[in-house]
Amino acid sequence: MEEPTGRLTPKKVAVVGGGLVGALNACYFAKRGFDVEVFETREDIRQAKVVKGRSINLALSHRGRQALKHVGMEDKIVSQGIPMHARMIHSPSGKQSPIPYGKKGQFILSVDRANLNKELLTEAETYPNMKMNFDHKLKDWSPETGLMTFTRLDGSHDQIQADLIVGCDGAFSAIRKQFLRRSRFNYSQTYIPHGYMELTMPPVNGEFAMKPNYLHIWPRNTFMMIALPNLDKTFTCTLFMPFDEFEKITTGDEVMEFFQEYFADTIPLIGVDALKRDYFRLPGLAMVSIKCSPYHIGDKCVLMGDAAHAVVPFYGQGMNAGFEDCIVFDEIMEQLNEDFSAVLPEYSRVRVPDDHAIADLAMYNYIEMRAHVNSKWFLFRKHLDNFLHFLLPNTIVPLYTMVTFTRTRYHKAVDRWQWQDKVINRGLLFGATGAVLGGSYLLIKNPPDINKLIIPTEKMWARLMSLWTS
């Protein structure tokens, strides 16, 4: 029987990793008519009593939504998310100041990682040419033949052969280990000196404890806390801080002193007992940034998602970049008639510079979130960039807008941002120089009466001297 794509004998695609990118990728390949098998080390999270793994809330934006839309999942996932229209900056005094993300009506969505993963797995299973394999840990695989060996909890082994192996098995990818043995494969990983810790802010009288349609940020220069809203009316608060700062706090009283100094407005909302208990429940967890190149071996294997480019979470683009991998690969498949020998190298050529760019931007944005948002110059530039974007929507586009609300290629967004920055800074410099020269010219043409200036100057000096001696 002929498959939907016109292929007489469908090729077999093995997706290793049943997380977010793996489950979405499975839908893409199944939609094209391939025979798809997904292999996941963990048990099925839809049946698991306790879902292990990372639980940072995710910020879904345009790139991720476009990828979900392609398999008919956008509306369902958006309906299960909470729109966040702006950052809400909390000063040490407790003052709150919103900084909108984009134009009116633009927002990012707070979504629950586990729920999103469950929905994608359920969607993948609706395809008749799909098979799910949980409790399958990859032990070995051959880049030449596509033969894979999996072990199970009971010690048994499975051997599977595939025409294409898609590595979506996360930052510590078992698939990528084979890449490391090969010549001319570039790889780097960087652990940042900061860890993260999650705390929960419960509802107050059945409602959100803070305004829900914001990403709340407490920037404190060398560290910060953020809070994202959940559908159950809680907030997930994530404290990002250098590991040596985490290690300095060893008692419940020290936790309270620390929060009283830096996050006093959150104490009544999280609760004293909860803070003292939850701070020590888990240690600060590490964050890694991984870059590699190329993303493929021959026509047999390709890496996507965190397996190809783990990024720190500060631009909210980790999942969005991983989801965009799926749609970019699918677009190249369309252009090159599903010829893996042409598609895989083209995918590496196109995608590597973009993923490296977002990895660098994520590092940069951590400094912006924890420090720059406190600066008056930063806020001035934000307002100026938005104003110029309003006046010249096709010429000046803020970096955050390009990254979050368009599918402009990441590395092109960075190039354009750097060009715009030079143009705007030069404009400000010329404007300031013009103002100084113009003011000087007016002073020369119309010099002020020196006698009128001397008296106020003398009065000012007398006041300064009185302050100095008092």
Side-chain angles (χ1 to χ4, degrees), residues 42 46 135 181 234 241 270 284 434:
R42 300 169 300 175
R46 294 167 297 178
D135 173 29
R181 297 174 186 162
T234 63
M241 192 161 68
I270 297 173

PDB file of all heavy atoms in Angstrom, residues 42 46 135 181 234 241 270 284 434:
ATOM      1  N   ARG A  42      13.288   6.837  30.234  1.00  0.00           N
ATOM      2  CA  ARG A  42      12.394   6.836  31.408  1.00  0.00           C
ATOM      3  C   ARG A  42      11.106   6.072  31.123  1.00  0.00           C
ATOM      4  O   ARG A  42      10.809   5.722  29.983  1.00  0.00           O
ATOM      5  CB  ARG A  42      12.036   8.276  31.793  1.00  0.00           C
ATOM      6  CG  ARG A  42      13.214   9.158  32.159  1.00  0.00           C
ATOM      7  CD  ARG A  42      12.785  10.617  32.261  1.00  0.00           C
ATOM      8  NE  ARG A  42      12.240  11.128  31.013  1.00  0.00           N
ATOM      9  CZ  ARG A  42      11.710  12.326  30.842  1.00  0.00           C
ATOM     10  NH1 ARG A  42      11.640  13.151  31.876  1.00  0.00           N
ATOM     11  NH2 ARG A  42      11.241  12.720  29.680  1.00  0.00           N
ATOM     12  N   ARG A  46       3.228   9.869  31.435  1.00  0.00           N
ATOM     13  CA  ARG A  46       1.769   9.944  31.599  1.00  0.00           C
ATOM     14  C   ARG A  46       1.275   8.939  32.636  1.00  0.00           C
ATOM     15  O   ARG A  46       0.185   9.098  33.177  1.00  0.00           O
ATOM     16  CB  ARG A  46       1.080   9.715  30.251  1.00  0.00           C
ATOM     17  CG  ARG A  46       1.348  10.828  29.244  1.00  0.00           C
ATOM     18  CD  ARG A  46       0.941  10.440  27.852  1.00  0.00           C
ATOM     19  NE  ARG A  46       1.708   9.299  27.348  1.00  0.00           N
ATOM     20  CZ  ARG A  46       1.527   8.724  26.171  1.00  0.00           C
ATOM     21  NH1 ARG A  46       0.574   9.175  25.365  1.00  0.00           N
ATOM     22  NH2 ARG A  46       2.266   7.707  25.791  1.00  0.00           N
ATOM     23  N   ASP A 135      11.316   2.979  28.749  1.00  0.00           N
ATOM     24  CA  ASP A 135      12.244   2.092  29.453  1.00  0.00           C
ATOM     25  C   ASP A 135      13.227   1.450  28.460  1.00  0.00           C
ATOM     26  O   ASP A 135      13.538   0.272  28.546  1.00  0.00           O
ATOM     27  CB  ASP A 135      11.432   1.034  30.242  1.00  0.00           C
ATOM     28  CG  ASP A 135      12.298  -0.042  30.887  1.00  0.00           C
ATOM     29  OD1 ASP A 135      13.453   0.262  31.224  1.00  0.00           O
ATOM     30  OD2 ASP A 135      11.824  -1.188  31.017  1.00  0.00           O
ATOM     31  N   ARG A 181      33.728  10.768  18.976  1.00  0.00           N
ATOM     32  CA  ARG A 181      34.821   9.887  18.541  1.00  0.00           C
ATOM     33  C   ARG A 181      35.280  10.193  17.116  1.00  0.00           C
ATOM     34  O   ARG A 181      36.242   9.598  16.641  1.00  0.00           O
ATOM     35  CB  ARG A 181      34.364   8.421  18.598  1.00  0.00           C
ATOM     36  CG  ARG A 181      34.018   7.938  19.998  1.00  0.00           C
ATOM     37  CD  ARG A 181      33.431   6.547  19.948  1.00  0.00           C
ATOM     38  NE  ARG A 181      32.962   6.115  21.262  1.00  0.00           N
ATOM     39  CZ  ARG A 181      32.112   5.126  21.467  1.00  0.00           C
ATOM     40  NH1 ARG A 181      31.627   4.460  20.429  1.00  0.00           N
ATOM     41  NH2 ARG A 181      31.736   4.804  22.678  1.00  0.00           N
ATOM     42  N   THR A 234      -0.643  28.922  41.397  1.00  0.00           N
ATOM     43  CA  THR A 234       0.628  29.076  42.095  1.00  0.00           C
ATOM     44  C   THR A 234       1.593  29.837  41.192  1.00  0.00           C
ATOM     45  O   THR A 234       1.334  30.017  40.002  1.00  0.00           O
ATOM     46  CB  THR A 234       1.260  27.708  42.442  1.00  0.00           C
ATOM     47  OG1 THR A 234       1.544  27.017  41.212  1.00  0.00           O
ATOM     48  CG2 THR A 234       0.346  26.872  43.314  1.00  0.00           C
ATOM     49  N   MET A 241      21.600  31.997  41.385  1.00  0.00           N
ATOM     50  CA  MET A 241      22.606  32.605  42.259  1.00  0.00           C
ATOM     51  C   MET A 241      23.921  31.832  42.133  1.00  0.00           C
ATOM     52  O   MET A 241      23.901  30.624  41.870  1.00  0.00           O
ATOM     53  CB  MET A 241      22.077  32.563  43.695  1.00  0.00           C
ATOM     54  CG  MET A 241      22.836  33.383  44.672  1.00  0.00           C
ATOM     55  SD  MET A 241      21.867  33.714  46.177  1.00  0.00           S
ATOM     56  CE  MET A 241      21.767  32.077  46.919  1.00  0.00           C
ATOM     57  N   ILE A 270       5.378  33.512  50.050  1.00  0.00           N
ATOM     58  CA  ILE A 270       5.857  32.118  50.015  1.00  0.00           C
ATOM     59  C   ILE A 270       5.605  31.453  51.369  1.00  0.00           C
ATOM     60  O   ILE A 270       5.217  30.291  51.430  1.00  0.00           O
ATOM     61  CB  ILE A 270       7.364  32.064  49.652  1.00  0.00           C
ATOM     62  CG1 ILE A 270       7.592  32.628  48.240  1.00  0.00           C
ATOM     63  CG2 ILE A 270       7.891  30.631  49.729  1.00  0.00           C
ATOM     64  CD1 ILE A 270       9.067  32.765  47.847  1.00  0.00           C
ATOM     65  N   GLY A 284      21.316  23.763  45.020  1.00  0.00           N
ATOM     66  CA  GLY A 284      21.276  24.519  43.776  1.00  0.00           C
ATOM     67  C   GLY A 284      21.682  23.614  42.616  1.00  0.00           C
ATOM     68  O   GLY A 284      22.650  22.852  42.722  1.00  0.00           O
ATOM     69  N   GLY A 434      25.455  68.030  18.829  1.00  0.00           N
ATOM     70  CA  GLY A 434      24.726  69.156  18.231  1.00  0.00           C
ATOM     71  C   GLY A 434      24.135  70.060  19.288  1.00  0.00           C
ATOM     72  O   GLY A 434      24.184  71.298  19.174  1.00  0.00           O
TER      73      GLY A 434
END
